[in-house]
Amino acid sequence: VSQGSHNSTEASLFLPSTTAARDRWSFVWQGSSQQQKQQRQGQGQLRLRLRVLAHLLWTYSVTAPVAAWLWLTDEILFSGYHLSGSNAVLLEDAVIILSVPRAGTTSFHRALALDKQRFVTPCMLDLYFPFCCIQTILKLLARNFPQTLHTVEQFLKRCHNITEEVDARHPVQLLGADADDILLGEWHWVSTGSVRTFPVPEYYLKHYRLCGTEARSLLLH
Protein backbone atom coordinates (compact mmCIF):
# COMPACT_ATOMS: atom_id res chain seq x y z
CA VAL A 1 0.00 0.00 0.00
CA SER A 2 1.53 3.31 -1.01
CA GLN A 3 0.45 6.85 -0.34
CA GLY A 4 -0.60 8.64 -3.51
CA SER A 5 -2.74 7.99 -6.57
CA HIS A 6 -2.50 4.92 -8.75
CA ASN A 7 -1.59 5.62 -12.38
CA SER A 8 0.94 3.07 -13.55
CA THR A 9 1.30 -0.36 -15.06
CA GLU A 10 3.82 -3.19 -14.81
CA ALA A 11 3.18 -4.45 -18.32
CA SER A 12 6.80 -5.44 -18.89
CA LEU A 13 6.77 -8.12 -16.20
CA PHE A 14 5.42 -11.11 -18.06
CA LEU A 15 8.30 -13.60 -18.37
CA PRO A 16 8.82 -16.35 -15.77
CA SER A 17 11.93 -16.55 -13.63
CA THR A 18 14.64 -18.52 -15.46
CA THR A 19 15.37 -20.65 -12.39
CA ALA A 20 11.68 -21.40 -11.82
CA ALA A 21 11.19 -22.33 -15.47
CA ARG A 22 14.26 -24.59 -15.39
CA ASP A 23 12.91 -26.35 -12.32
CA ARG A 24 9.62 -27.07 -14.08
CA TRP A 25 11.23 -28.39 -17.23
CA SER A 26 13.50 -30.55 -15.07
CA PHE A 27 10.51 -31.97 -13.23
CA VAL A 28 8.69 -32.72 -16.50
CA TRP A 29 11.78 -34.47 -17.90
CA GLN A 30 13.06 -36.31 -14.81
CA GLY A 31 10.21 -36.29 -12.28
CA SER A 32 10.79 -36.01 -8.53
CA SER A 33 13.42 -37.67 -6.39
CA GLN A 34 12.83 -41.29 -5.39
CA GLN A 35 11.47 -40.27 -2.00
CA GLN A 36 9.08 -37.79 -3.54
CA LYS A 37 8.00 -40.39 -6.09
CA GLN A 38 7.03 -42.77 -3.31
CA GLN A 39 5.06 -40.04 -1.57
CA ARG A 40 3.27 -39.11 -4.79
CA GLN A 41 2.46 -42.53 -6.18
CA GLY A 42 -1.13 -42.28 -5.03
CA GLN A 43 -1.53 -38.83 -6.62
CA GLY A 44 -0.27 -39.85 -10.00
CA GLN A 45 3.25 -38.63 -10.75
CA LEU A 46 2.72 -38.90 -14.51
CA ARG A 47 -0.49 -36.90 -14.39
CA LEU A 48 1.22 -34.12 -12.42
CA ARG A 49 4.13 -34.03 -14.88
CA LEU A 50 1.69 -33.74 -17.78
CA ARG A 51 -0.16 -30.98 -15.95
CA VAL A 52 3.07 -29.02 -15.43
CA LEU A 53 4.06 -29.62 -19.06
CA ALA A 54 0.68 -28.32 -20.26
CA HIS A 55 1.15 -25.16 -18.20
CA LEU A 56 4.67 -24.65 -19.58
CA LEU A 57 3.53 -25.07 -23.18
CA TRP A 58 0.56 -22.76 -22.65
CA THR A 59 2.78 -20.12 -21.06
CA TYR A 60 5.40 -20.02 -23.81
CA SER A 61 3.13 -20.64 -26.81
CA VAL A 62 0.11 -18.54 -25.79
CA THR A 63 0.51 -16.40 -22.66
CA ALA A 64 3.94 -14.88 -23.39
CA PRO A 65 3.23 -13.98 -27.05
CA VAL A 66 -0.19 -12.51 -26.18
CA ALA A 67 1.37 -10.57 -23.29
CA ALA A 68 4.00 -9.18 -25.68
CA TRP A 69 1.29 -7.92 -28.03
CA LEU A 70 -0.65 -6.39 -25.14
CA TRP A 71 2.52 -4.72 -23.90
CA LEU A 72 3.13 -3.30 -27.40
CA THR A 73 -0.49 -2.07 -27.50
CA ASP A 74 0.06 -0.28 -24.20
CA GLU A 75 3.20 1.38 -25.54
CA ILE A 76 1.30 2.64 -28.59
CA LEU A 77 -2.08 3.60 -27.12
CA PHE A 78 -1.24 4.26 -23.47
CA SER A 79 2.33 5.53 -23.55
CA GLY A 80 1.40 8.04 -20.84
CA TYR A 81 1.42 5.27 -18.25
CA HIS A 82 5.13 5.95 -17.71
CA LEU A 83 5.67 8.02 -14.59
CA SER A 84 6.93 11.12 -16.34
CA GLY A 85 5.79 14.61 -17.27
CA SER A 86 2.37 15.92 -16.25
CA ASN A 87 1.09 12.41 -15.52
CA ALA A 88 3.71 11.79 -12.84
CA VAL A 89 2.40 10.76 -9.43
CA LEU A 90 4.67 10.89 -6.43
CA LEU A 91 4.44 7.81 -4.22
CA GLU A 92 5.91 8.17 -0.77
CA ASP A 93 5.71 6.74 2.74
CA ALA A 94 5.10 3.17 1.61
CA VAL A 95 3.44 0.77 4.04
CA ILE A 96 5.02 -2.71 3.75
CA ILE A 97 3.14 -5.58 5.40
CA LEU A 98 5.14 -8.70 6.36
CA SER A 99 3.69 -11.67 8.19
CA VAL A 100 3.49 -15.41 8.56
CA PRO A 101 0.78 -17.09 6.42
CA ARG A 102 -2.85 -16.96 7.56
CA ALA A 103 -2.25 -14.16 10.08
CA GLY A 104 -4.93 -11.75 8.83
CA THR A 105 -2.72 -9.59 6.63
CA THR A 106 -5.20 -9.69 3.75
CA SER A 107 -7.96 -8.25 5.95
CA PHE A 108 -5.57 -5.60 7.31
CA HIS A 109 -4.43 -4.75 3.79
CA ARG A 110 -7.98 -4.36 2.53
CA ALA A 111 -8.92 -2.23 5.54
CA LEU A 112 -6.10 0.19 4.70
CA ALA A 113 -7.16 0.19 1.05
CA LEU A 114 -10.59 1.56 2.06
CA ASP A 115 -8.88 4.87 2.86
CA LYS A 116 -8.60 6.04 -0.73
CA GLN A 117 -7.66 9.57 0.28
CA ARG A 118 -4.29 8.52 1.67
CA PHE A 119 -3.50 5.10 0.24
CA VAL A 120 -3.41 3.32 -3.09
CA THR A 121 -2.86 -0.39 -3.54
CA PRO A 122 -2.85 -2.87 -6.44
CA CYS A 123 -6.11 -4.65 -7.10
CA MET A 124 -6.39 -8.13 -8.61
CA LEU A 125 -6.93 -6.57 -12.04
CA ASP A 126 -3.54 -4.80 -11.86
CA LEU A 127 -1.77 -7.99 -10.83
CA TYR A 128 -3.42 -10.58 -13.04
CA PHE A 129 -3.85 -8.34 -16.11
CA PRO A 130 -0.95 -5.82 -15.88
CA PHE A 131 -1.92 -4.17 -19.17
CA CYS A 132 -3.62 -0.79 -19.59
CA CYS A 133 -5.64 -1.92 -22.62
CA ILE A 134 -7.21 -4.86 -20.77
CA GLN A 135 -7.76 -2.81 -17.63
CA THR A 136 -9.55 -0.09 -19.62
CA ILE A 137 -11.95 -2.61 -21.15
CA LEU A 138 -12.71 -4.37 -17.87
CA LYS A 139 -13.22 -1.09 -16.00
CA LEU A 140 -15.68 -0.01 -18.70
CA LEU A 141 -17.52 -3.28 -18.15
CA ALA A 142 -17.54 -2.62 -14.40
CA ARG A 143 -19.14 0.80 -14.88
CA ASN A 144 -21.63 -0.07 -17.62
CA PHE A 145 -22.16 -3.83 -17.52
CA PRO A 146 -21.34 -5.07 -14.00
CA GLN A 147 -23.10 -8.40 -14.56
CA THR A 148 -20.84 -9.09 -17.54
CA LEU A 149 -17.77 -8.38 -15.41
CA HIS A 150 -19.14 -10.77 -12.77
CA THR A 151 -19.47 -13.45 -15.48
CA VAL A 152 -15.84 -12.85 -16.49
CA GLU A 153 -14.75 -13.18 -12.86
CA GLN A 154 -16.64 -16.45 -12.43
CA PHE A 155 -15.10 -17.84 -15.63
CA LEU A 156 -11.57 -16.95 -14.46
CA LYS A 157 -12.23 -18.54 -11.06
CA ARG A 158 -13.30 -21.78 -12.71
CA CYS A 159 -10.22 -21.74 -14.93
CA HIS A 160 -7.99 -21.38 -11.86
CA ASN A 161 -9.90 -23.83 -9.71
CA ILE A 162 -10.93 -21.19 -7.16
CA THR A 163 -13.72 -23.05 -5.41
CA GLU A 164 -16.45 -21.53 -3.23
CA GLU A 165 -14.51 -22.69 -0.18
CA VAL A 166 -11.35 -20.91 -1.34
CA ASP A 167 -13.31 -17.80 -2.31
CA ALA A 168 -14.97 -17.71 1.13
CA ARG A 169 -11.58 -17.87 2.84
CA HIS A 170 -9.92 -15.34 0.52
CA PRO A 171 -12.52 -13.42 -1.54
CA VAL A 172 -11.24 -12.77 -5.06
CA GLN A 173 -12.52 -9.86 -7.13
CA LEU A 174 -10.87 -8.23 -10.11
CA LEU A 175 -11.38 -4.75 -8.65
CA GLY A 176 -10.65 -5.81 -5.07
CA ALA A 177 -7.38 -4.99 -3.31
CA ASP A 178 -4.93 -7.87 -3.22
CA ALA A 179 -1.31 -8.66 -2.40
CA ASP A 180 1.33 -7.84 -4.99
CA ASP A 181 3.00 -11.24 -4.56
CA ILE A 182 0.23 -12.53 -6.86
CA LEU A 183 2.03 -10.84 -9.74
CA LEU A 184 5.23 -12.64 -8.75
CA GLY A 185 3.42 -15.96 -8.53
CA GLU A 186 1.39 -15.71 -11.74
CA TRP A 187 3.97 -14.08 -14.00
CA HIS A 188 7.36 -14.98 -12.52
CA TRP A 189 6.54 -18.32 -10.83
CA VAL A 190 8.06 -17.28 -7.52
CA SER A 191 6.37 -16.64 -4.14
CA THR A 192 3.56 -18.66 -2.59
CA GLY A 193 1.24 -18.08 -5.54
CA SER A 194 3.34 -20.29 -7.80
CA VAL A 195 2.63 -23.39 -5.71
CA ARG A 196 -0.79 -23.61 -7.35
CA THR A 197 0.70 -24.37 -10.77
CA PHE A 198 3.77 -26.26 -9.53
CA PRO A 199 2.93 -28.21 -6.34
CA VAL A 200 6.31 -29.97 -5.96
CA PRO A 201 7.76 -29.00 -2.54
CA GLU A 202 11.31 -30.30 -3.11
CA TYR A 203 12.09 -27.49 -5.57
CA TYR A 204 10.96 -24.78 -3.17
CA LEU A 205 12.83 -26.38 -0.30
CA LYS A 206 15.95 -26.35 -2.49
CA HIS A 207 15.83 -22.60 -3.13
CA TYR A 208 14.35 -21.10 0.02
CA ARG A 209 15.50 -21.14 3.64
CA LEU A 210 12.34 -22.21 5.42
CA CYS A 211 11.82 -22.73 9.13
CA GLY A 212 9.86 -25.76 10.29
CA THR A 213 6.52 -23.90 10.30
CA GLU A 214 7.08 -22.46 6.83
CA ALA A 215 8.05 -25.84 5.40
CA ARG A 216 4.93 -27.41 6.91
CA SER A 217 2.80 -24.60 5.44
CA LEU A 218 4.35 -25.26 2.01
CA LEU A 219 3.57 -28.98 2.25
CA LEU A 220 -0.01 -28.19 3.27
CA HIS A 221 -0.40 -25.98 0.19
Side-chain angles (χ1 to χ4, degrees):
V1 181
S2 300
Q3 185 171 337
S5 175
H6 184 62
N7 186 26
S8 67
T9 182
E10 293 297 334
S12 63
L13 304 179
F14 62 81
L15 289 177
S17 159
T18 302
T19 300
R22 185 171 60 244
D23 284 345
R24 296 183 185 218
W25 285 113
S26 174
F27 173 72
V28 169
W29 182 254
Q30 300 177 345
S32 298
S33 65
Q34 188 61 37
Q35 181 180 3
Q36 290 286 336
K37 284 181 180 179
Q38 293 173 358
Q39 293 175 351
R40 291 181 172 276
Q41 279 179 351
Q43 301 177 21
Q45 171 101 187
L46 178 60
R47 184 169 60 183
L48 179 58
R49 290 168 69 181
L50 291 175
R51 171 182 152 190
V52 174
L53 175 62
H55 185 255
L56 281 165
L57 295 177
W58 178 265
T59 296
Y60 286 102
S61 64
V62 178
T63 302
V66 169
W69 279 106
L70 292 173
W71 183 18
L72 179 61
T73 301
D74 278 0
E75 294 298 323
I76 295 172
L77 300 180
F78 301 94
S79 57
Y81 79 78
H82 294 288
L83 296 182
S84 60
S86 59
N87 291 324
V89 175
L90 178 63
L91 300 179
E92 55 186 14
D93 299 330
V95 177
I96 301 173
I97 303 171
L98 301 175
S99 152
V100 297
R102 308 272 73 85
T105 49
T106 298
S107 298
F108 179 54
H109 174 199
R110 291 178 178 179
L112 289 179
L114 293 174
D115 186 352
K116 299 186 183 299
Q117 296 300 315
R118 293 190 299 166
F119 297 106
V120 62
T121 183
C123 63
M124 179 63 76
L125 179 60
D126 300 317
L127 303 169
Y128 191 74
F129 293 113
F131 306 102
C132 294
C133 53
I134 298 297
Q135 293 175 14
T136 299
I137 293 171
L138 293 179
K139 287 177 180 178
L140 284 173
L141 287 179
R143 287 195 297 269
N144 301 301
F145 305 98
Q147 188 56 44
T148 302
L149 181 66
H150 177 72
T151 301
V152 172
E153 285 182 339
Q154 295 305 114
F155 172 74
L156 292 173
K157 288 178 182 180
R158 287 195 298 271
C159 290
H160 291 81
N161 198 30
I162 298 177
T163 62
E164 292 184 2
E165 179 184 357
V166 172
D167 203 25
R169 184 171 64 247
H170 185 116
V172 178
Q173 294 180 317
L174 284 174
L175 297 180
D178 229 309
D180 53 8
D181 68 329
I182 291 175
L183 183 142
L184 298 175
E186 292 295 332
W187 292 94
H188 291 287
W189 298 349
V190 296
S191 86
T192 306
S194 60
V195 178
R196 180 181 60 80
T197 55
F198 189 48
V200 187
E202 65 178 275
Y203 288 93
Y204 298 93
L205 295 173
K206 178 176 68 173
H207 295 301
Y208 298 97
R209 294 181 179 179
L210 303 176
C211 68
T213 302
E214 292 170 329
R216 180 175 180 275
S217 177
L218 174 65
L219 293 173
L220 288 175
H221 276 78

